[in-house]
């Protein structure tokens, strides 16, 4: 089966400093995968490699076809990113931030009304500046913006960072609803409890190398925890 996203022997570097070494994995359609490992393991670099931010060798494919060199190619082909730190534009309203996500031109189920149904707080604050929202609401806004690109795969980089436990619970429920709509998820997360609750399987990075993978239940095993020092 062809995966929605495939890495084949991917190496990634910044200015000659190698961060990823010979990384290969597949995210299948509708699957939720947790990408785990310590800080500096290369998790964010793996996501950024999809956009060609580091220097990349090897192959990155979407639906079995290699990505092009243009930065907008992943979005136009159904890959969306919720970046670490949210990156909300304070000079734009909530609704204007959401509409930025439609720039890819992909059409489908995720309209402004649909994301407001998923995130009622955003609908109530549609005319407020994006940065006037709470931290949790800004994370929801970043997800809403990414959904407007109608992704087959939604990649999330540390979405629970700085959030209270009750907000993390809300976020998990939102991501479950998105998954139920058929969207695959690739989740980079230090909060391993969230990965256990949400993901089907995991990929483990250590010092830029893929050192483990399997069903998410295996994250409970001491040998796996020691391998990636969780």
């Amino acid at each position: 089966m062809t995966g929605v996203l495939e890495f084949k022997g991917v190496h990634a570097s910044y200015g000659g400093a190698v961060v990823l070494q010979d990384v290969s994995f597949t995210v299948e359609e509708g699957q939720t995968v947790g990408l785990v490992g310590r800080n500096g393991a290369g998790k964010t670099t793996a996501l950024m490699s999809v956009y060609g931010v580091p220097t990349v060798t090897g192959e990155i494919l979407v639906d079995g076809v290699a990505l092009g060199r243009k930065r907008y190619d992943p979005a136009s082909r159904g890959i969306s990113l919720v970046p670490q730190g949210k990156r909300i534009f304070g000079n734009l309203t909530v609704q204007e931030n959401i509409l930025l996500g439609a720039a890819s031109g992909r059409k489908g189920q995720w309209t402004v009304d649909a994301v407001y149904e998923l995130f009622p707080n955003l609908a109530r604050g549609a005319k407020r500046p994006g940065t006037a929202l709470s931290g949790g609401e800004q994370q929801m806004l970043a997800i809403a913006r990414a959904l407007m690109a109608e992704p087959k795969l939604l990649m999330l980089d540390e979405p629970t960072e700085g959030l209270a436990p009750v907000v993390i619970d809300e976020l998990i429920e939102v991501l479950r609803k998105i998954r139920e709509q058929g969207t695959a998820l690739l989740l980079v997360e230090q909060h391993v409890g969230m990965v256990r609750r949400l993901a089907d399987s995991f990929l483990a990075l250590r010092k830029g190398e893929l050192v483990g993978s399997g069903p998410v239940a295996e994250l409970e095993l001491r040998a796996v925890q020691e391998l990636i020092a969780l």
Side-chain angles (χ1 to χ4, degrees):
M1 182 183 295
T2 299
V4 62
L5 179 68
E6 294 179 82
F7 276 42
K8 291 185 175 182
V10 170
H11 297 253
S13 61
Y14 294 99
V18 177
V19 181
L20 294 182
Q21 303 178 63
D22 196 26
V23 171
S24 299
F25 65 82
T26 301
V27 180
E28 305 287 355
E29 183 177 350
Q31 186 181 24
T32 299
V33 177
L35 183 57
V36 300
R38 299 185 70 176
N39 287 334
K43 304 185 300 299
T44 295
T45 296
L47 302 189
M48 292 298 99
S49 294
V50 174
Y51 296 90
V53 175
T55 299
V56 175
T57 60
E59 287 190 295
I60 300 178
L61 305 98
V62 175
D63 295 330
V65 179
L67 284 171
R69 294 181 180 275
K70 296 179 179 178
R71 293 282 174 87
Y72 60 78
D73 195 30
S76 66
R77 291 176 56 188
I79 309 295
S80 285
L81 173 67
V82 179
Q84 187 175 17
K86 309 172 188 69
R87 300 185 190 176
I88 302 304
F89 294 93
N91 61 328
L92 300 179
T93 66
V94 167
Q95 183 154 314
E96 288 168 341
N97 270 278
I98 290 171
L99 289 171
L100 286 176
S104 70
R106 290 173 58 83
K107 305 297 182 183
Q109 63 182 325
W110 293 110
T111 62
V112 173
D113 287 342
V115 297
Y116 280 159
E117 184 175 348
L118 186 62
F119 303 110
N121 283 359
L122 299 185
R124 288 189 285 269
K127 296 182 179 180
R128 300 177 65 194
T131 50
L133 302 179
S134 69
E137 289 170 335
Q138 288 187 42
Q139 187 60 268
M140 301 302 182
L141 176 55
I143 294 171
R145 181 177 60 195
L147 289 175
M148 289 293 290
E150 199 63 36
K152 302 173 186 176
L153 171 65
L154 182 63
M155 305 192 302
L156 302 104
D157 193 0
E158 302 286 1
T160 66
E161 185 177 42
L163 300 184
V166 65
V167 180
I168 292 173
D169 289 342
E170 293 174 7
L171 178 60
I172 288 171
E173 289 307 309
V174 163
L175 293 176
R176 283 175 175 159
K177 290 177 182 178
I178 293 169
R179 182 178 61 188
E180 288 167 3
Q181 298 297 316
T183 304
L185 304 175
L186 179 57
L187 177 67
V188 165
E189 187 52 70
Q190 288 289 322
H191 192 280
V192 179
M194 181 179 181
V195 175
R196 292 190 185 105
R197 292 170 63 183
L198 190 63
D200 307 306
S201 61
F202 76 94
L203 302 163
L205 285 173
R206 185 177 65 185
K207 296 181 180 180
E209 297 183 352
L210 191 63
V211 295
S213 63
V216 73
E218 291 184 4
L219 284 173
E220 302 289 347
L221 301 177
R222 182 180 295 276
V224 173
Q225 294 176 10
E226 290 177 349
L227 181 67
I228 52 181
L230 291 176

